[in-house]
Amino acid sequence: MTVCNARGWPAVWRPPLEILLLLMGGLVLYEQSFGLSSLDPRNTAWMLQGDPAQHYLGWQFFRNEPWQWPPGRISTFGLPLGTSIVFTDSIPLLALLLKPVSAHLPGEFQYFGLWMLACYILNGLVAWKLLCQFTQRVSLRLLASLFFMLSPPLLMRGYGHEALMAHALLLLGFLGYIRNWKGSAWGFLLAIAALTHAYLLLMLLGIWAASLARRLQCSRSWPSHLKEALGIIALLAPLMYLAGYFVPGTGAAAEGYGFFSMNMLALVQPNFLEPRFGYSPIWSGPPVATGGQYEGYLYLGAGMLILSLAALVTKLPGWIFPLSRWIEPPGAPEVGQPPSLGWLLLVCLLFWCLALSSQVTLGAHTLITLDLPHTLHKLLSIFRASGRLGWPIYYLLMLIILIAVLQRYKPAAALALLLSALIIQYIELQPKHRALHQSIEQRHRASTPLASPDWQSWGARARKLLIFAPENQIESIYIPFATLAAQHRLATNASHTARAQAGDRQAYLQAEWNKLEQGAPDPTTIHVFPDADKLRALPAALRQQIQTRDGYHILAPGG
């Protein structure tokens, strides 16, 4: 690690001390939002609600199956075709690393708490590494780094999008752009992103493209840059295939494009749209146009908004908004001069436009609705939650504001500004931290609705569990049944995964129903019927075998 200069700090222990302080800061913030009990890998109850249940159960089914091809495939979760750890958002990087040692882990094991803590800490650490490029003063860069841990969009993802909390990958992309990383470093970072989440991979590909364009503009070395691009493609394509991006039973496009967008006022919209997410005690902010615009939540925070005003007063440095230098001139930058952000800013603005979607909104008003060609609309629908694509410009703007304060104010004034703004940012986010903590505590206290001991008895002698209900109903009740199936290593249609092909699942369920109508049920299957009216179509002899437990009608394995 490069030792950063700072007055009065011994060079040997200065960086480790800064890192230790950031580690402590990340741990304190994590405890306030999630509680330390969520770090216990054996504590899984808090994962069994909402989206986290999909992520945890995907891992549980994956670890219990033998290796398949491709390695990220899951065949027993989401019958008939299954899915993959990519489409259960189970953080493929960790799932693939832990599966070989799964037999030595507890039967119920989650790594998501530790992952989220690492995301908090890494956001601060990578920001600190970035800020080392721009200031030599320890106190200033430490305070500035804490703003990245207090990032409201990072906090918001803690409600159920654990993989998407890896915002540090975007900050590493900024570092790679500034430090002129070459092919192997970018390849490693992009591979990590591919094994984390597709949205982060897309954004990092854009940042890498900006770096490539900047380096090409400076060196004019076409062959080496073409080789780098081809090498990245050759790395990512097979890696994505192995992780399970292209398994049967899943599709690319999905419904919701335009609904899960970003509002043009996102940077000053303080609330997560619902009271349960905690309101800002400072101001309510403007309204939004759709209920899905939480995906484009990019609130800077009251403290950061104050710093932005302070930065504007200084007439932001010319290199930040290089209106006359959008593209760097040929030749390397002068020694000691900050790099031009032209290419990076261009790419981040492109993502900003994509985040707005084809339905551009300002507050509660729709300004423009673009009539896109079907092919283009289908292509953009691959990333239906387009609001997430505002993250690069959000973090670049944060970095620009902080650098302007660090470089354009005297140290004492910068310290006072940063400390005051940080306190305001922390106070404003406290209701949101408390609301999230309360939500996690409620999850800890939740219990399964399948209270009868018969469920465990049936699970022990079955091989499959099927719920006979429409797809949307299965998605609303699947969690306890999928949990039971995972405990007993049963194949099941009780699932909810991204990009699932509902038609295939319903056709399979209809074929199983036809067997029941013919009086020939599979004796190794637990048949679950939420709707009693549906049972009238079954033969009388079969209806007599139906039992009722915990509000559900069951045909037990073996009759």
Side-chain angles (χ1 to χ4, degrees), residues 332-352:
E334 296 180 20
V335 176
Q337 293 297 314
S340 165
L341 298 183
W343 283 107
L344 181 58
L345 185 59
L346 190 63
V347 166
C348 291
L349 287 173
L350 174 61
F351 278 127
W352 172 270

Side-chain angles (χ1 to χ4, degrees), residues 201-359:
L201 173 62
L202 175 65
M203 288 178 266
L204 268 175
L205 281 170
I207 297 171
W208 162 71
S211 172
L212 193 67
R214 176 172 175 259
R215 286 181 281 127
L216 180 62
Q217 185 76 18
C218 291
S219 68
R220 304 289 189 181
S221 177
W222 282 92
S224 63
H225 292 89
L226 179 61
K227 181 180 177 181
E228 178 179 327
L230 294 175
I232 294 294
I233 295 172
L235 170 68
L236 291 181
L239 182 65
M240 292 172 70
Y241 171 77
L242 294 173
Y245 275 83
F246 314 114
V247 296
T250 59
E255 297 295 327
Y257 176 72
F259 180 76
F260 297 108
S261 62
M262 182 190 70
N263 199 288
M264 289 189 70
L265 298 179
L267 293 172
V268 293
Q269 167 51 258
N271 299 316
F272 293 173
L273 308 183
E274 295 183 33
R276 65 189 178 97
F277 295 135
Y279 281 146
S280 166
I282 296 178
W283 76 310
S284 60
V288 292
T290 76
Q293 290 193 328
Y294 66 86
E295 289 287 8
Y297 181 72
L298 296 179
Y299 182 50
L300 283 168
M304 185 55 64
L305 287 173
I306 290 172
L307 290 181
S308 68
L309 294 176
L312 287 172
V313 169
T314 69
K315 298 180 181 179
L316 293 170
W319 64 270
I320 293 176
F321 294 116
L323 298 180
S324 60
R325 296 177 61 230
W326 277 98
I327 309 300
E328 266 188 274
E334 296 180 20
V335 176
Q337 293 297 314
S340 165
L341 298 183
W343 283 107
L344 181 58
L345 185 59
L346 190 63
V347 166
C348 291
L349 287 173
L350 174 61
F351 278 127
W352 172 270
C353 293
L354 291 173
L356 294 172
S357 82
S358 60
Q359 185 173 310

